[in-house]
Amino acid sequence: MKGVKNICCIGAGYVGGPTMAVIALKCPHIKVNIVDINEERIAAWNGDDLDQLPIYEPGLKEIVAETRDRNLFFTTDIEKGIEEADLIFISVNTPTKTYGKGKGQAADLKYIELCARKIAEVAKEDKIVIEKSTLPVRTAEALKSILENTGNGVNFEILSNPEFLAEGTAVEDLLSPDRVLIGGDNTETGQAAKNALTEVYANWVPKERILQTNVWSSELSKLTANAFLAQRISSINAMSALCEVTEADVDEVAKAIGMDSRIGAKFLKSSVGFGGSCFQKDILNLVYIAKSFGLQEVADYWEQVIILNDYQKRRFADKIIKESYNTVNGKNIAFFGWAFKKDTNDTRESAAIYVADYLLDEQADIIVYDPKVSKEQIYADLEYLNTHSSEEIRARVKVVSSPYEAVEKAHAIAVLTEWDEFINYDWSKIYDAMLKPANVFDGRNILRKEELSEIGFKVFNIGK
Ligand code: ADP
């Protein structure tokens, strides 16, 4: 197979955007087109103000500045992008189904299917199609079937190249990945396709870190990796509840077990619960797949990771209510943070959404400050739950652009995201602005408790 000269990526989101920007940076000889149906999003990627790119990731705007209009292009011309490309990445969203069979668990593949049909319709030469979205196992098979049955006689090779980047460190993860996984058929053409993609990554990733497998192993590895990571968080969060009723300190426990080299220190931070678009979705997929093969025990085992996570969010909201003399009705609760973690503006499945929802059930007034998340996103996240009317949400939830504004006459502060800036605020000024007793619920265990207690705050932590 000839060397890759042109890449098209369908979907200019959290995965497609940063991944293609890094490929363009490291492969100046390859032209990379990112295409998307969302005109507004494409316009934002092409905008003059690099601080207004649709996705915030540390280091991303610098790469876009260097590569955009050099060999990285953002466009809505999907057909041209497909036609020109040797390699097509599919990087569209695969949300959990909200209807029909598999509702609440299975991934909705309608966007993937639309892409496949578009590729089949437009392609006039052989193409390598790569699934990049977070996907359930067997998507490659579905893709193959659509492409083969509606194509115009051209040969498609389907590869699975799952994304292991973490939001907030996407650029760093892409620049020096622990491994790159490429799954494909072991036929001659399949092998050639795997090699072609390997050559692209080999421009900056050491060859020993590029792993070739069969499609199934590659797809299942992605789900397995996320299930293991989420399981670590649920495991330490389970211990946090036990720490709170004994005199143990979850950070001390985490440090102690993390020093065991068999366990390792990463992903042991207890918190209000994990969020993000991948963990919950991937585990639900795993559960759905296990069930559909009749493996009920396997499904139950992994489902418990989600159940524990829901429990942790509920527990945090309950704590706020209990410590507010058992009622938050009409009280001002300031939220510090809305994103599912720091250094991203992504809010999908963020713990903040669910904690806010529980507090709205109790008729609290919520004032949100997040350094990167927009007001409309916050309202959209709450409206999506469909548990409170849009009017009620807009009446009870206020979004402000400064932390000091958020705490004005607040009864309590809840820290929902671990943004670094929260630590170094003028906490005396915050104390003065609040109603007393001034309670702080540190859902991320990031604040300096002693300092805050000296000022007069009552600080509640997770697992202490
Ligand atoms: P992810 O986190 O997987 O990157 P995002 O939701 O951030 O997910 O991005 C997915 C992108 O894919 C969105 O910008 C959406 O507009 C785009 N998209 C969805 N379906 C199609 C399609 N059929 N053709 C082109 N782009 C699509």
Side-chain angles (χ1 to χ4, degrees):
M1 185 163 294
K2 60 182 173 35
V4 173
K5 295 243 159 35
N6 190 304
I7 291 177
C8 173
C9 173
I10 308 180
Y14 282 92
V15 173
T19 308
M20 293 307 124
V22 168
I23 290 182
L25 179 75
K26 293 294 182 180
C27 310
H29 55 289
I30 298 177
K31 181 178 174 195
V32 182
N33 287 307
I34 308 189
V35 301
D36 202 298
I37 37 174
N38 185 335
E39 284 175 20
E40 229 173 275
R41 210 168 207 186
I42 289 297
W45 279 112
N46 281 323
D48 291 335
D49 184 355
L50 289 166
D51 285 318
Q52 298 298 324
L53 293 180
I55 282 156
Y56 172 73
E57 278 291 340
L60 180 61
K61 71 173 181 186
E62 289 79 4
I63 298 180
V64 171
E66 184 172 340
T67 54
R68 196 175 62 186
D69 299 330
R70 178 188 81 181
N71 64 328
L72 179 67
F73 301 89
F74 296 91
T75 157
T76 51
D77 194 344
I78 300 176
E79 305 197 349
K80 183 155 166 263
I82 293 173
E83 239 178 81
E84 283 181 4
D86 313 305
L87 288 185
I88 302 167
F89 285 88
I90 300 186
S91 189
V92 299
N93 34 338
T94 50
T96 303
K97 278 185 82 172
T98 52
Y99 57 88
K101 192 162 182 279
K103 177 181 171 186
Q105 286 189 336
D108 194 337
L109 295 184
K110 73 176 171 201
Y111 302 109
I112 299 271
E113 184 175 337
L114 283 172
C115 283
R117 289 187 187 277
K118 180 55 93 185
I119 295 169
E121 178 197 319
V122 174
K124 297 195 185 62
E125 290 164 38
D126 293 357
K127 306 274 180 205
I128 300 173
V129 178
I130 303 156
E131 40 161 313
K132 191 83 203 165
S133 318
T134 315
L135 289 170
V137 179
R138 291 190 117 166
T139 310
E141 222 170 72
L143 266 177
K144 204 180 181 88
S145 145
I146 295 167
L147 287 169
E148 276 171 3
N149 288 312
T150 49
N152 9 355
V154 297
N155 180 48
F156 295 106
E157 280 303 323
I158 318 289
L159 299 179
S160 154
N161 174 220
E163 195 42 67
F164 292 106
L165 63 83
E167 282 173 43
T169 53
V171 169
E172 209 180 299
D173 297 344
L174 286 161
L175 287 173
S176 45
D178 287 344
R179 59 15 190 131
V180 170
L181 193 52
I182 298 174
D185 286 345
N186 289 327
T187 56
E188 200 178 312
T189 48
Q191 192 54 53
K194 285 194 268 192
N195 292 344
L197 184 56
T198 299
E199 285 313 315
V200 173
Y201 282 107
N203 282 296
W204 77 99
V205 181
K207 276 244 166 95
E208 62 277 10
R209 293 209 195 155
I210 305 176
L211 215 61
Q212 296 190 354
T213 66
N214 74 35
V215 180
W216 281 75
S217 303
S218 168
E219 291 186 326
L220 199 52
S221 296
K222 165 79 187 191
L223 298 193
T224 309
N226 277 342
F228 269 59
L229 291 170
Q231 181 210 43
R232 280 175 75 94
I233 300 178
S234 276
S235 297
I236 198 70
N237 280 344
M239 301 320 291
S240 78
L242 202 49
C243 288
E244 285 170 28
V245 292
T246 60
E247 279 180 20
D249 176 326
V250 76
D251 288 337
E252 290 181 356
V253 173
K255 185 167 181 197
I257 67 163
M259 285 172 79
D260 185 329
S261 61
R262 293 167 304 177
I263 296 174
K266 291 180 181 165
F267 264 72
L268 284 180
K269 185 93 184 124
S270 186
S271 72
V272 57
F274 61 74
S277 71
C278 289
F279 283 180
Q280 170 145 333
K281 193 175 74 179
D282 283 2
I283 294 176
L284 289 175
N285 269 320
L286 201 55
V287 168
Y288 184 73
I289 292 162
K291 270 193 197 153
S292 62
F293 283 107
L295 305 173
Q296 191 61 43
E297 286 80 357
V298 178
D300 291 345
Y301 178 76
W302 289 109
E303 191 164 22
Q304 195 58 35
V305 173
I306 304 275
I307 294 172
L308 204 290
N309 196 50
D310 291 340
Y311 162 77
Q312 189 75 350
K313 293 179 270 192
R314 175 103 236 178
R315 224 164 60 75
F316 184 73
D318 285 344
K319 179 99 169 173
I320 296 176
I321 297 162
K322 181 167 163 262
E323 296 298 339
S324 307
Y325 310 110
N326 286 316
T327 176
V328 286
N329 186 325
K331 290 185 179 164
N332 297 325
I333 314 291
F335 271 37
F336 278 9
W338 190 265
F340 83 92
K341 66 174 186 177
K342 73 172 179 179
D343 294 339
T344 177
N345 61 345
D346 192 352
T347 63
R348 288 176 288 184
E349 292 301 330
S350 177
I353 303 169
Y354 296 91
V355 174
D357 190 52
Y358 295 140
L359 295 177
L360 284 177
D361 290 344
E362 299 292 325
Q363 307 193 338
D365 290 317
I366 298 170
I367 310 98
V368 186
Y369 167 71
D370 186 287
K372 291 283 174 202
V373 179
S374 74
K375 187 183 200 156
E376 284 315 309
Q377 184 62 49
I378 292 171
Y379 288 136
D381 289 338
L382 287 168
E383 282 163 4
Y384 186 75
L385 293 181
N386 234 338
T387 46
H388 297 273
S389 70
S390 180
E391 295 73 44
E392 187 188 353
I393 290 166
R394 278 160 205 269
R396 289 220 172 266
V397 181
K398 220 170 105 188
V399 181
V400 297
S401 52
S402 132
Y404 300 103
E405 196 182 339
V407 300
E408 201 58 50
K409 294 206 164 46
H411 292 77
I413 296 173
V415 177
L416 274 309
T417 311
E418 72 279 27
W419 287 105
D420 292 331
E421 64 172 66
F422 297 163
I423 302 168
N424 294 318
Y425 284 163
D426 183 344
W427 282 93
S428 296
K429 182 172 161 188
I430 291 175
Y431 183 77
D432 291 341
M434 286 177 68
L435 297 178
K436 311 294 172 325
N439 287 343
V440 175
F441 298 89
D442 186 355
R444 299 286 182 162
N445 289 347
I446 53 163
L447 302 177
R448 287 189 282 265
K449 185 172 184 168
E450 266 177 37
E451 225 173 279
L452 264 62
S453 304
E454 255 169 52
I455 295 172
F457 286 103
K458 203 161 170 207
V459 184
F460 299 89
N461 288 100
I462 303 274
K464 290 178 197 257

